[in-house]
Amino acid sequence: MERKINLSFWFFWGLSMLVSLVEAVTYSGFIIKHTGLNPLLTITPAIFLSLTLLVLNFVKKNKKSQKNDKALVFFSVFLLILYIVLKIVDRLTYANFVFSNLHIQPNNLLWPVLISFLSIVFVWFPRINFKKLLTSRSVLFLFVTSIIVFNIYRIYKMEWWAFQFIITHPQASYDDKMRRAVGPVFYNFTQFINTNTPEDSSILIPPQAFPWPQSGNEAFMRYFIHPRKMGNGKEYNPQTKLSDYDFIVLNWGETDSTEPPYTHSWPKFDVPAEGIIFMNADGTFGGEIKGNYYYKDYIDKKVWGLIIIKH
Amino acid sequence: MLLIFGMLLVLIFGFLLSVILVEEMHPMERLGISYLLGFGIFTLLMFCYSTLGIKITLISTLTALGICITATLAFFKVFKRKISINLSGFIKSLFYLSRLEKIIVSVIAGLVVASFTISIYFPVYIWDALALYDFRAKIIAQIGFYTQIANNYVWFGGYPLFTSLSHTLVYIFGGNNPQFLYSSMYVSYIFVFYGALRQIVNRKVSLISTLLLATTPVFFDHSTFAYTNLPYSIFLSMGSIYIYVWLVKNKPFGYLILAAVMTGLSTWTRSTEPFWIINLIVLAILLLYKIKKYLLPLVVYLSTFLLIREPWNIVNNYILTDRKALIASNIEPVTSSYISIISRIPEWNRIVEIGVYIYKYIVVSWYPFLFLFLLCLLLSVKNFFHRYGSFFVLIIILYFCLLVFGTYLFTFSNVSWNEIPDSARRMSMFFMPLMIFYAGMVFDTFSSSTNFKKTRKIK
């Protein structure tokens, strides 16, 4: 009787494995479309039979491992590693990268993984010596292992942005890397300032608050535009004599969020100017106009640039 | 090539210094401590001689390194030290690792490679590094001085110069990205932690505990960018660990001096936090227990520690002109305000607020190591007062008490004390390796080793 159950299990297990692997290399619904067979009709008997065998194996006295038991474990672990690796590759590159290059649907590999581990349950579970397992040492070891595995997963979640960028931009320049790290708008703006102002100039920058957390932070800005001198203005007035400075940044802000009562766009006061140099979104020169800066002409306009103060 | 040469010279200096202090050491621990000592002590020396007027240039740095290496070799004769590196024995032992141990070593190696990949690929980009540490490094590399020019810049002082001068060394030797230093510190930490724990527990347990440390997300993350929190945590935690190892394994004085150097170097990395005081309290407790035995160690420890800590304090508090008058005028009101805080009735509302803050932003960040630590405490409760590992628990408890008390005091002088919880979390990173170290000692009681099992009193 047990032999018949065993054979039936392996039949349905094999069939469900075949069905799920086919759908992993084609697409979900392939089997039912071309054969009319619902894959669940193969998996459900396999699950039921494995539970039956689990009960029978618990009762069995002789629980020695067979040669094919180890092969089963190896196969299951291989499928699991393949699934994890393909998912990571998809995450590090772009969605469908694996399917478009290898014609494998990583998500559909999950079913073969689960089915293969199903067979391990009734083979290996009854062999576990629960008396030995529930010792302080084993509990500690299992706890520590789970912490390590969980931590590795947390490291992966934390750092995947870096690996994704490294893999997709192996030859990136210093500028590209800095754009990724500190934000393209801000970085382009600092390079624009460096290109369009002399090194000994003084520049008035916005107050240190959102939406200018970087360009309003004097200590942070100086890393990029040193040795130029800087000072913070207030939102609605310069706070200082404009004659002490050569330029004022025209700055919409580098973040979408703002910190009340601050709002986008700066300076929010008129400036007697020689002219205004504008910056394109990619940091290149975006044109120049002569004359004073009037705030009313720039309300709600997403512009960046430099106002050349009239002395 | 010049960069590699320069880094090697610093490593050699650290190696020689470590041999003078401790003649016998595990090869991995020796390598790790060489890096930490080399950069720690040499950057301090750079600060000292540049303050005295010697410009930091490539020539002066190479000369200084040459003098340091020569001086340490001279000390070899005085202390009758010999260099013995059993590299072949160490490499052979790698082949005799069990399957589990090989997996652990492979995972650690993978993490190290990942850390170096990120830190080498990306330039310095993290906020405080751009605003202060790396900016200072570039200015010092350009001008050659710090003390003489610090008052010319906004937000240039405040933090000691370990990280900035380490970066300066890289720039002077022709490098353009010093971020690999932090991955190197991460590797060094793995080595010294393993080596220190290995003196108490067996190899398998040491490796598992070291793997726990290496996979701590915050430590891995900090190994990829230029913040002071990683080196600070390394120096501070190793200071306490070395004091403990010196005590329980009856190690020579060199270990105690090493502990003092490590703790001193933590103040050379970050000087605002007062956690350095805990090791002194530990020695003071031992002094009360046996005054004759522990008086000389306390004096030696204190002298060594102050030798490392005071140069920065003297310059920062007395020589940088703007601060001189400010500090002098503030000493009396600050002291009297602390006395009045301590002497008055505790404000319970404030204490509850601090408790909630510490739990929400600091303690929660320690999960799951806190669970592991508490589980280990529970498992060793039967013979708690007879195990010398329990003394290590006392060290952790003292640190925690200081964290709470220090935060309480801080709330009186700073109204925005709770506005940067991330900073508080980073400041208390060092608790996790201490918990892991203790957990490693408890693991060992369940393995075949009997080191920890012995109920042994501190003599």
Side-chain angles (χ1 to χ4, degrees):
Chain A
M1 174 69 177
E2 190 192 318
R3 197 162 173 264
K4 283 181 184 170
I5 297 173
N6 215 8
L7 280 170
S8 309
F9 167 78
W10 286 114
F11 170 74
F12 282 107
W13 184 89
L15 192 61
S16 58
M17 183 63 80
L18 182 68
V19 156
S20 56
L21 280 171
V22 165
E23 294 217 327
V25 296
T26 52
Y27 53 85
S28 299
F30 178 88
I31 294 292
I32 199 167
K33 185 183 174 186
H34 290 91
T35 66
L37 173 70
N38 188 337
L40 282 173
L41 289 175
T42 62
I43 296 163
T44 318
I47 294 172
F48 174 72
L49 288 164
S50 72
L51 289 171
T52 312
L53 283 166
L54 179 67
V55 171
L56 286 171
N57 279 349
F58 260 118
V59 177
K60 214 172 16 177
K61 281 185 184 171
N62 181 11
K63 296 181 187 180
K64 276 191 193 166
S65 68
Q66 312 292 324
K67 275 185 198 171
N68 51 1
D69 294 344
K70 286 190 180 166
L72 206 58
V73 171
F74 177 78
F75 179 64
S76 305
V77 169
F78 167 75
L79 274 180
L80 178 65
I81 292 171
L82 183 67
Y83 169 72
I84 292 170
V85 165
L86 293 178
K87 284 290 282 182
I88 291 173
V89 168
D90 247 4
R91 202 124 192 249
L92 288 174
T93 51
Y94 55 86
N96 272 338
F97 173 86
V98 170
F99 184 70
S100 50
N101 288 277
L102 302 173
H103 218 276
I104 300 175
Q105 296 260 16
N107 287 340
N108 287 356
L109 264 181
L110 191 57
W111 269 118
V113 169
L114 292 173
I115 293 164
S116 65
F117 273 95
L118 190 67
S119 58
I120 289 173
V121 166
F122 79 84
V123 168
W124 287 96
F125 224 66
R127 294 197 190 123
I128 296 170
N129 185 342
F130 286 98
K131 264 190 193 169
K132 218 175 165 181
L133 196 66
L134 291 171
T135 59
S136 305
R137 178 182 176 172
S138 307
V139 166
L140 210 51
F141 182 76
L142 276 167
F143 188 43
V144 167
T145 309
S146 57
I147 293 175
I148 290 168
V149 169
F150 179 59
N151 279 349
I152 290 173
Y153 173 69
R154 280 167 70 196
I155 289 172
Y156 157 70
K157 289 272 286 182
M158 241 191 304
E159 308 295 347
W160 80 267
W161 72 269
F163 282 110
Q164 187 188 37
F165 191 79
I166 293 169
I167 288 168
T168 51
H169 301 82
Q171 308 282 348
S173 64
Y174 173 85
D175 288 336
D176 288 335
K177 291 173 190 175
M178 286 304 280
R179 282 186 193 100
R180 177 62 184 84
V182 301
V185 169
F186 170 74
Y187 187 73
N188 287 341
F189 194 40
T190 59
Q191 301 312 296
F192 175 81
I193 293 172
N194 284 339
T195 309
N196 293 283
T197 61
E199 280 193 3
D200 60 351
S201 52
S202 303
I203 305 172
L204 193 66
I205 59 175
Q208 187 184 340
F210 282 75
W212 316 282
Q214 294 162 304
S215 54
N217 185 320
E218 190 185 334
F220 192 77
M221 270 290 270
R222 70 181 173 186
Y223 188 87
F224 299 91
I225 66 173
H226 180 74
R228 294 156 186 80
K229 291 190 172 44
M230 281 169 286
N232 289 102
K234 287 198 163 174
E235 195 176 12
Y236 290 93
N237 68 74
Q239 183 174 233
T240 181
K241 281 190 291 179
L242 283 176
S243 55
D244 291 342
Y245 293 88
D246 304 310
F247 300 92
I248 298 183
V249 296
L250 175 59
N251 193 337
W252 168 257
E254 56 264 12
T255 63
D256 292 333
S257 57
T258 60
E259 182 185 331
Y262 301 101
T263 54
H264 286 104
S265 186
W266 191 82
K268 292 185 174 75
F269 47 86
D270 299 339
V271 178
E274 303 276 357
I276 306 168
I277 312 169
F278 294 97
M279 183 189 88
N280 290 325
D282 61 356
T284 52
F285 179 75
E288 186 175 353
I289 59 167
K290 300 286 181 201
N292 295 329
Y293 168 81
Y294 297 106
Y295 172 56
K296 62 175 174 57
D297 297 333
Y298 295 93
I299 295 174
D300 292 335
K301 283 197 180 147
K302 231 174 176 178
V303 287
W304 287 268
L306 281 161
I307 303 167
I308 309 165
I309 296 172
K310 189 189 279 183
H311 288 104
Chain B
M1 277 307 293
L2 184 62
L3 178 63
I4 297 171
F5 177 66
M7 299 297 104
L8 266 172
L9 283 179
V10 177
L11 198 65
I12 289 168
F13 169 57
F15 173 80
L16 295 172
L17 207 54
S18 73
V19 174
I20 290 171
L21 289 174
V22 179
E23 197 174 11
E24 297 284 331
M25 209 182 239
H26 191 284
M28 308 279 282
E29 191 182 356
R30 177 76 71 200
L31 188 60
I33 207 75
S34 302
Y35 181 86
L36 296 171
L37 275 182
F39 273 91
I41 300 297
F42 189 69
T43 51
L44 185 62
L45 288 171
M46 280 172 77
F47 170 69
C48 292
Y49 70 65
S50 79
T51 299
L52 293 171
I54 300 172
K55 193 175 177 186
I56 296 173
T57 61
L58 178 61
I59 304 294
S60 69
T61 305
L62 284 169
T63 309
L65 275 167
I67 294 170
C68 288
I69 289 171
T70 311
T72 44
L73 284 169
F75 271 105
F76 263 58
K77 278 212 159 181
V78 172
F79 289 99
K80 293 177 186 163
R81 294 283 193 248
K82 287 178 197 169
I83 299 174
S84 62
I85 311 168
N86 188 7
L87 205 57
S88 57
F90 172 68
I91 292 170
K92 269 186 198 165
S93 70
L94 293 176
F95 290 102
Y96 291 108
L97 293 175
S98 68
R99 199 183 302 174
L100 174 65
E101 289 169 343
K102 281 179 183 159
I103 291 171
I104 292 172
V105 170
S106 307
V107 173
I108 293 175
L111 287 166
V112 166
V113 168
S115 170
F116 271 106
T117 304
I118 298 174
S119 66
I120 290 172
Y121 178 89
F122 284 101
V124 176
Y125 68 90
I126 208 81
W127 195 285
D128 285 1
L130 296 176
L132 182 64
Y133 314 130
D134 199 52
F135 179 72
R136 276 195 311 197
K138 288 188 167 178
I139 298 294
I140 294 169
Q142 213 175 66
I143 298 176
F145 297 101
Y146 164 77
T147 309
Q148 292 83 341
I149 57 136
N151 283 334
N152 300 341
Y153 296 87
V154 170
W155 203 42
F156 207 68
Y159 280 83
L161 289 169
F162 171 71
T163 46
S164 297
L165 285 175
S166 301
H167 290 206
T168 303
L169 272 172
V170 172
Y171 292 130
I172 282 173
F173 284 118
N176 53 26
N177 182 6
Q179 240 167 201
F180 73 90
L181 292 171
Y182 298 85
S183 296
S184 308
M185 274 182 231
Y186 171 68
V187 175
S188 302
Y189 194 25
I190 288 169
F191 288 172
V192 296
F193 187 89
Y194 170 80
L197 189 57
R198 184 71 183 90
Q199 295 186 63
I200 301 174
V201 306
N202 66 49
R203 187 175 68 195
K204 191 185 283 187
V205 170
S206 306
L207 279 171
I208 292 172
S209 306
T210 307
L211 178 62
L212 260 176
L213 176 73
T215 53
T216 307
V218 69
F219 277 89
F220 180 88
D221 198 34
H222 276 252
S223 73
T224 63
F225 52 74
Y227 261 18
T228 54
N229 303 99
L230 177 67
Y232 176 74
S233 299
I234 294 171
F235 289 133
L236 189 66
S237 59
M238 288 316 299
S240 289
I241 286 171
Y242 277 134
I243 270 208
Y244 176 77
V245 169
W246 165 77
L247 181 69
V248 301
K249 299 301 283 181
N250 281 326
K251 288 287 183 182
F253 244 54
Y255 263 94
L256 182 69
I257 297 173
L258 196 54
V261 170
M262 289 285 117
T263 314
L265 288 175
S266 75
T267 66
W268 175 228
T269 311
R270 293 177 67 90
S271 59
T272 46
E273 292 87 0
F275 291 109
W276 52 265
I277 212 168
I278 295 301
N279 287 345
L280 282 169
I281 292 175
V282 165
L283 285 168
I285 292 171
L286 291 169
L287 187 71
L288 293 172
Y289 175 61
K290 269 192 179 175
I291 192 165
K292 272 189 187 169
K293 189 175 183 194
Y294 294 106
L295 181 59
L296 182 60
L298 178 62
V299 169
V300 167
Y301 178 92
L302 191 59
S303 318
T304 312
F305 170 74
L306 290 175
L307 203 62
I308 309 245
R309 183 172 181 258
E310 287 311 298
W312 168 255
N313 264 359
I314 291 167
V315 169
N316 204 41
N317 291 331
Y318 297 104
I319 296 179
L320 292 178
T321 323
D322 283 350
R323 297 174 62 85
K324 190 175 168 181
L326 187 68
I327 297 295
S329 68
N330 277 349
I331 285 175
E332 203 189 302
V334 165
T335 313
S336 62
S337 77
Y338 276 144
I339 290 169
S340 75
I341 290 164
I342 295 163
S343 59
R344 68 178 161 198
I345 297 165
E347 294 179 22
W348 296 110
N349 285 344
R350 189 184 290 258
I351 290 172
V352 167
E353 193 185 351
I354 290 162
V356 168
Y357 177 84
I358 288 177
Y359 175 77
K360 211 169 149 186
Y361 295 111
I362 298 176
V363 173
V364 165
S365 70
W366 297 338
Y367 292 160
F369 298 107
L370 185 61
F371 275 139
L372 182 66
F373 176 67
L374 294 173
L375 177 66
C376 291
L377 272 179
L378 203 67
L379 291 171
S380 49
V381 79
K382 203 174 167 190
N383 291 311
F384 188 79
F385 292 105
H386 297 288
R387 293 187 193 274
Y388 53 71
S390 309
F391 194 76
F392 199 77
V393 176
L394 173 67
I395 295 175
I396 297 174
I397 291 170
L398 283 172
Y399 273 121
F400 187 74
C401 291
L402 184 59
L403 171 70
V404 174
F405 182 64
T407 308
Y408 178 74
L409 287 182
F410 186 61
T411 60
F412 288 98
S413 57
N414 199 320
V415 289
S416 55
W417 64 273
N418 55 355
E419 283 180 14
I420 321 174
D422 189 53
S423 177
R425 203 176 301 131
R426 282 185 271 115
M427 173 198 69
S428 51
M429 259 164 73
F430 68 91
F431 276 89
M432 286 181 273
L434 295 178
M435 291 179 198
I436 295 171
F437 194 86
Y438 177 70
M441 290 193 281
V442 173
F443 294 161
D444 197 56
T445 62
F446 300 99
S447 72
S448 55
S449 164
T450 54
N451 279 355
F452 190 74
K453 264 188 178 166
K454 284 177 187 167
T455 53
R456 185 170 163 259
K457 289 182 182 174
I458 297 163
K459 288 184 186 166

